[in-house]
Amino acid sequence: MVHVYNCHPFSSQQIVQVEQQPGLICCGGGALFVVATGGCKVEAYNVEKDGCPFICRFATMGTVKSIQHSTMGDYLVTIEEKNSATYLRAYTNWRYQAEGKARVGVRLLGHLLRGASVRGGVQMEIIEIPLSERPVAVACCSVTGDLLVGCENTLVLFALRRQNQQSLNQSQQMFPNTWTNSQQSSSQSQGQITGSNQNFLDFERSVILHLPKLKPKQVALCGVYVAVQAELEVLVLKLDASSEPKTLEESLDAKKTDHLEDQADFQVLPRHQELLGDRAKDCDIPVSIEKTGLEDSAGQYTLSYVLFRRFTPDFFQGCSVEETQLHSLQLYPLFTSNQSVSLEEPSCIFCFFSLPSAGYLYSLKGGVELLSAYQYPEKVLKAVLTDHLLHVITKNALQCFTVRCAAVAARIEDPYIDSTIKACPPCSLEVCALRMQLFIGLRSVCVYGRHVILLSTADAETPEEPERTTQRRGLSRKWTISSPKETSAAGHGWNLYVVATVSPLTLYQEMVEYSQRFAETNPQPQSLRHLLSEAHLLLRTSLLQTSEQQRNIEEDSVPSLQTDADGPAEKQTAAQTDSQELEEALRQNCAQLGDCFSRGSQMDCHLALPYYRMSGLSVTEIMARNRPLPSSPHSYGPGFLFYLKHYLLEETEQILSQEAADEVIDIFSQSEPSQLISVCASPSLINISPAQTLRILQHLEDTAGVSVPLTTTMATMMLRLDDLPQYTHLIERHAEMLLVYGFIEEPRLLLHGRGGGQHTHIRPTALTRQLAKSQPGLLVAAVVALHENDKVQLEQADHIFKELGCENCLQVDFWEAMLMASSQETIIQELLFRVASVYIDRLTNTTSDTHTNEPRTPSRRRPLKSADDLINSCSHYGALYPWLTVLNPAHTTSSQHQEALYKLQSLLCGPSLSVGSVVPLMERLSEETLWGFSLHLLCATRSGQYDGSIEKLLDRCPQAIIAYANHQLQDKHMVLWWQKLLPELCNRTRAAADNGILLAALKETLVVVAMETSPTEFLELMPDDGTASYFLPYLLTCSQRRLMA
């Protein structure tokens, strides 16, 4: 379906004053080239000035049958006929003819002129390009300036080269035919080409493609893409330069393919076929590459199929050949705003071709896709694609259609398109016809910038007038090339028009005015949304190519035609002004599209969010645009509610005034009461009236019933009213665990700013501060639950407790609670190190004396979990080793000191703490006290230093040695009883025979050794100077145990 709107994309028209009837026209570089009927003379006119003044005129060497202009290199290429022979020629430096210099040089391809032309470089050159077959069609690449020639069954690609005077004085060199070299060599502006005395253009044949089953009628070239069009077939190929040599099938065998069109009296028509991307290689059109003999190791090519489309001819209503064949093949590049036209390949490349009844636009890069199919109301003779519009001509009208190029380019340029942040109308949006301008006898059309050039011949023979003399397609395949028809000598009435199109901004403004007609009658018609989407794409197209790039393109294209006296600074200022106007218009358009989708259907109401975001409007302004209509005072559009919910769910810094916040509460109380809890928790609504909101929440509770989040929200409102008794009453309605579940459901009741990642500034709410004072256990449990449900990160939770001033109490309680709840190993190890560090700090900063009369400060608040609680409920805290009871002081330290000591000892007795990570911290604790010594002994024991631990323990506290040995010297460490402990006790007892503690320890040790060793081993362990009567009972016990075993 094609929408039709009566817009005015054309601003003015003027007639070019040509002396003879035009036969062919083309344009480029700010100039219009006219080939008079008869075809041996080319005239150039300046289309950028009023009246299209004459530039120059030069003669051709034959009758011109086809003419093309290349922007890169500013040269003309023609197919000419003379004496029944066909030639291909290129005309360079043609602008010097405007200076009255009639000298013209003629040379062959690759043979540069010497002498005066080299020294001065001020003459036009005609380059003869020899071909082995008759040229049928030519095309110039707008990106590189390369030349593609279509012959009977071959395509020949010529790379544009630059030669300078220094290279002319040396032997001619052959350059690699790679994409990069071609692009670099031809990326110089034609202004440099014509303005320099040192640089000259030449061409180098780079590759030949053989297509034995396809007869080209039109060709197109853009970068690495090659397109060829037959009567009913279009084939697009990609020709990539490859550094790896690859053997390609020569075309000699393909040339011998036997065509059957001359061997049958009937024609079998092929079926309709469309093959995109990799599937295109399945077409029945073989293509082979013939080496030119000039390639080096870096000049190999790889060929890939991109697109193939075949149409079935329609013979209804007696259509002739001309009425059913394809025309207007075009490869169109589009650069985005972050690209340089001369240094990068295009972000997007589009392929357009047309039947007389329909046109087709494909996107080639990033996946081949059919963007638009244009259904024409009448037979179209020719079409030209531009970045903004598609211009087509019929016999009596110029028609203008919209295009979808900007929709593709926008998605390539910006990855956030089609998200909740940004939006753009889809590529599949139906196209529309903006205008049909009547003319008489249109015959040809070409476009340069904002100028559409039309050739009309009132008495020209139309395709319908030959009274069906043209052979029918079904009778023979010997179809002739459709050549330009010449007007008879007695003909009258021909004109050459230059129609100027309005600026995109002006056309956008007209579309907006046009759309207001729909808005006045019905704010939700499909046409309103469609027209605003068209306007959006129009602005995007203009913004994709910035004003600076457009200025550079125009300056590089037509340096000799520039007469503007403004300096670079003035031009840059003008470009910035144009860009600012376009950006402002785009914001206005986004606001209008947001209005459309805000009241739209549920299917696409979500688009209101990105469009409103792109508009730059504040939420207050958007609310003002979406107030209900008088006919439905309580009706808000689903798109507006969708936007408002997302805005309130996000952690933005914009805080609404009380009036706006109360209006938001009223909106949701009328439209979606179930969202009121989430809305009230938004940090943007911190200024809402608590009394009014409480009445609304009370009404919600009466209608929907009691819920934990609703009760908590009402308690928050009571806090803001300083009604603590009522707050306490509401909080005590539910058990603490249910309250925790309520906070998981709506975390913003406790935390604001949590949605922006780890480094987001997060802050506690008033409810959080109250809980820290009155119910710290509930607060800790709630934050742990939020962390375990991925509602808050560990660093953010730490920041909350620091904001509350509880980093030395509640924060540690939170870490201890996290150790009980978390199952993530990385978090567990981090928390173990943190709590160990805190316990060491507490032991370092507190005295070991009791402080019975010292007042309790906030930092000395009783912990939520004691050491015994942690040992019983957390697997990372281990039960204290029995020998520690001997070393720990009994009620000789403060309660805080003793609690920190027990918790640290429990961690060291547990299975999870890595001792190596806390050993450096333990250096802060002295071993002079028994509790300090116990901690160092624990670390040494956990590190496997049993020998040293036994010695230290015998030195400091021998009464604990047996308890230590009974607990630690087990299993594989049992041998230390007789290898380390027994010798140490014997030595120390020998030195202090009256030490009862050592003697008791020695007896206990001998009992264990007698139970674990054989009599022979026991005898070997007895000291040489020992008393036999002392050791004999233990030896007897060992022997009896041996006999019993």
Side-chain angles (χ1 to χ4, degrees), residues 96-97 99-105 122-124:
Y96 287 116
Q97 296 298 305
E99 301 176 7
K101 299 176 180 179
R103 187 164 59 245
V104 177
V122 293
Q123 70 175 14
M124 184 177 79

PDB file of all heavy atoms in Angstrom, residues 96-97 99-105 122-124:
ATOM      1  N   TYR A  96      38.226  23.218 -18.303  1.00  0.00           N
ATOM      2  CA  TYR A  96      39.124  24.211 -18.911  1.00  0.00           C
ATOM      3  C   TYR A  96      38.575  24.754 -20.218  1.00  0.00           C
ATOM      4  O   TYR A  96      39.046  25.782 -20.700  1.00  0.00           O
ATOM      5  CB  TYR A  96      40.505  23.577 -19.140  1.00  0.00           C
ATOM      6  CG  TYR A  96      41.260  23.393 -17.845  1.00  0.00           C
ATOM      7  CD1 TYR A  96      41.583  22.118 -17.391  1.00  0.00           C
ATOM      8  CD2 TYR A  96      41.640  24.478 -17.068  1.00  0.00           C
ATOM      9  CE1 TYR A  96      42.257  21.931 -16.206  1.00  0.00           C
ATOM     10  CE2 TYR A  96      42.313  24.299 -15.880  1.00  0.00           C
ATOM     11  CZ  TYR A  96      42.623  23.039 -15.455  1.00  0.00           C
ATOM     12  OH  TYR A  96      43.288  22.858 -14.274  1.00  0.00           O
ATOM     13  N   GLN A  97      37.585  24.093 -20.783  1.00  0.00           N
ATOM     14  CA  GLN A  97      36.980  24.637 -21.992  1.00  0.00           C
ATOM     15  C   GLN A  97      36.225  25.926 -21.693  1.00  0.00           C
ATOM     16  O   GLN A  97      35.994  26.742 -22.579  1.00  0.00           O
ATOM     17  CB  GLN A  97      36.033  23.593 -22.605  1.00  0.00           C
ATOM     18  CG  GLN A  97      36.739  22.322 -23.068  1.00  0.00           C
ATOM     19  CD  GLN A  97      37.756  22.608 -24.162  1.00  0.00           C
ATOM     20  OE1 GLN A  97      37.433  23.194 -25.187  1.00  0.00           O
ATOM     21  NE2 GLN A  97      39.012  22.206 -23.930  1.00  0.00           N
ATOM     22  N   GLU A  99      37.370  28.296 -20.044  1.00  0.00           N
ATOM     23  CA  GLU A  99      38.332  29.389 -20.053  1.00  0.00           C
ATOM     24  C   GLU A  99      38.770  29.758 -21.464  1.00  0.00           C
ATOM     25  O   GLU A  99      39.729  30.503 -21.652  1.00  0.00           O
ATOM     26  CB  GLU A  99      39.549  28.992 -19.212  1.00  0.00           C
ATOM     27  CG  GLU A  99      39.182  28.656 -17.765  1.00  0.00           C
ATOM     28  CD  GLU A  99      40.379  28.179 -16.975  1.00  0.00           C
ATOM     29  OE1 GLU A  99      41.498  28.246 -17.530  1.00  0.00           O
ATOM     30  OE2 GLU A  99      40.214  27.763 -15.822  1.00  0.00           O
ATOM     31  N   GLY A 100      38.094  29.201 -22.431  1.00  0.00           N
ATOM     32  CA  GLY A 100      38.397  29.545 -23.818  1.00  0.00           C
ATOM     33  C   GLY A 100      39.625  28.869 -24.367  1.00  0.00           C
ATOM     34  O   GLY A 100      40.203  29.318 -25.355  1.00  0.00           O
ATOM     35  N   LYS A 101      40.059  27.822 -23.734  1.00  0.00           N
ATOM     36  CA  LYS A 101      41.245  27.106 -24.201  1.00  0.00           C
ATOM     37  C   LYS A 101      40.791  25.920 -25.024  1.00  0.00           C
ATOM     38  O   LYS A 101      40.261  24.947 -24.497  1.00  0.00           O
ATOM     39  CB  LYS A 101      42.090  26.660 -23.012  1.00  0.00           C
ATOM     40  CG  LYS A 101      42.575  27.847 -22.171  1.00  0.00           C
ATOM     41  CD  LYS A 101      43.327  27.406 -20.944  1.00  0.00           C
ATOM     42  CE  LYS A 101      43.784  28.616 -20.134  1.00  0.00           C
ATOM     43  NZ  LYS A 101      44.490  28.221 -18.918  1.00  0.00           N
ATOM     44  N   ALA A 102      40.968  26.009 -26.297  1.00  0.00           N
ATOM     45  CA  ALA A 102      40.421  25.012 -27.207  1.00  0.00           C
ATOM     46  C   ALA A 102      41.322  23.811 -27.385  1.00  0.00           C
ATOM     47  O   ALA A 102      40.953  22.868 -28.068  1.00  0.00           O
ATOM     48  CB  ALA A 102      40.155  25.659 -28.578  1.00  0.00           C
ATOM     49  N   ARG A 103      42.539  23.851 -26.795  1.00  0.00           N
ATOM     50  CA  ARG A 103      43.460  22.747 -27.005  1.00  0.00           C
ATOM     51  C   ARG A 103      42.917  21.484 -26.336  1.00  0.00           C
ATOM     52  O   ARG A 103      42.524  21.486 -25.161  1.00  0.00           O
ATOM     53  CB  ARG A 103      44.825  23.104 -26.435  1.00  0.00           C
ATOM     54  CG  ARG A 103      45.897  22.061 -26.779  1.00  0.00           C
ATOM     55  CD  ARG A 103      47.302  22.595 -26.547  1.00  0.00           C
ATOM     56  NE  ARG A 103      47.501  22.997 -25.159  1.00  0.00           N
ATOM     57  CZ  ARG A 103      47.726  24.238 -24.774  1.00  0.00           C
ATOM     58  NH1 ARG A 103      47.766  25.211 -25.680  1.00  0.00           N
ATOM     59  NH2 ARG A 103      47.910  24.528 -23.503  1.00  0.00           N
ATOM     60  N   VAL A 104      42.883  20.389 -27.073  1.00  0.00           N
ATOM     61  CA  VAL A 104      42.363  19.118 -26.596  1.00  0.00           C
ATOM     62  C   VAL A 104      43.378  18.034 -26.935  1.00  0.00           C
ATOM     63  O   VAL A 104      43.878  17.991 -28.067  1.00  0.00           O
ATOM     64  CB  VAL A 104      40.995  18.779 -27.224  1.00  0.00           C
ATOM     65  CG1 VAL A 104      40.526  17.404 -26.753  1.00  0.00           C
ATOM     66  CG2 VAL A 104      39.968  19.845 -26.880  1.00  0.00           C
ATOM     67  N   GLY A 105      43.667  17.188 -25.972  1.00  0.00           N
ATOM     68  CA  GLY A 105      44.578  16.081 -26.200  1.00  0.00           C
ATOM     69  C   GLY A 105      43.813  14.772 -26.266  1.00  0.00           C
ATOM     70  O   GLY A 105      42.878  14.541 -25.498  1.00  0.00           O
ATOM     71  N   VAL A 122      46.613  22.235 -18.672  1.00  0.00           N
ATOM     72  CA  VAL A 122      45.479  23.140 -18.808  1.00  0.00           C
ATOM     73  C   VAL A 122      44.641  22.790 -20.029  1.00  0.00           C
ATOM     74  O   VAL A 122      43.968  23.652 -20.575  1.00  0.00           O
ATOM     75  CB  VAL A 122      45.961  24.606 -18.908  1.00  0.00           C
ATOM     76  CG1 VAL A 122      46.586  25.038 -17.605  1.00  0.00           C
ATOM     77  CG2 VAL A 122      46.974  24.768 -20.051  1.00  0.00           C
ATOM     78  N   GLN A 123      44.663  21.572 -20.447  1.00  0.00           N
ATOM     79  CA  GLN A 123      43.870  21.203 -21.607  1.00  0.00           C
ATOM     80  C   GLN A 123      42.980  20.006 -21.287  1.00  0.00           C
ATOM     81  O   GLN A 123      43.287  19.205 -20.415  1.00  0.00           O
ATOM     82  CB  GLN A 123      44.766  20.871 -22.796  1.00  0.00           C
ATOM     83  CG  GLN A 123      45.552  19.569 -22.632  1.00  0.00           C
ATOM     84  CD  GLN A 123      46.340  19.213 -23.874  1.00  0.00           C
ATOM     85  OE1 GLN A 123      46.512  20.039 -24.748  1.00  0.00           O
ATOM     86  NE2 GLN A 123      46.807  17.976 -23.948  1.00  0.00           N
ATOM     87  N   MET A 124      41.887  19.949 -21.985  1.00  0.00           N
ATOM     88  CA  MET A 124      41.007  18.803 -21.843  1.00  0.00           C
ATOM     89  C   MET A 124      41.634  17.603 -22.536  1.00  0.00           C
ATOM     90  O   MET A 124      42.282  17.743 -23.575  1.00  0.00           O
ATOM     91  CB  MET A 124      39.632  19.125 -22.462  1.00  0.00           C
ATOM     92  CG  MET A 124      38.613  18.001 -22.271  1.00  0.00           C
ATOM     93  SD  MET A 124      37.001  18.406 -22.906  1.00  0.00           S
ATOM     94  CE  MET A 124      37.294  18.126 -24.655  1.00  0.00           C
TER      95      MET A 124
END
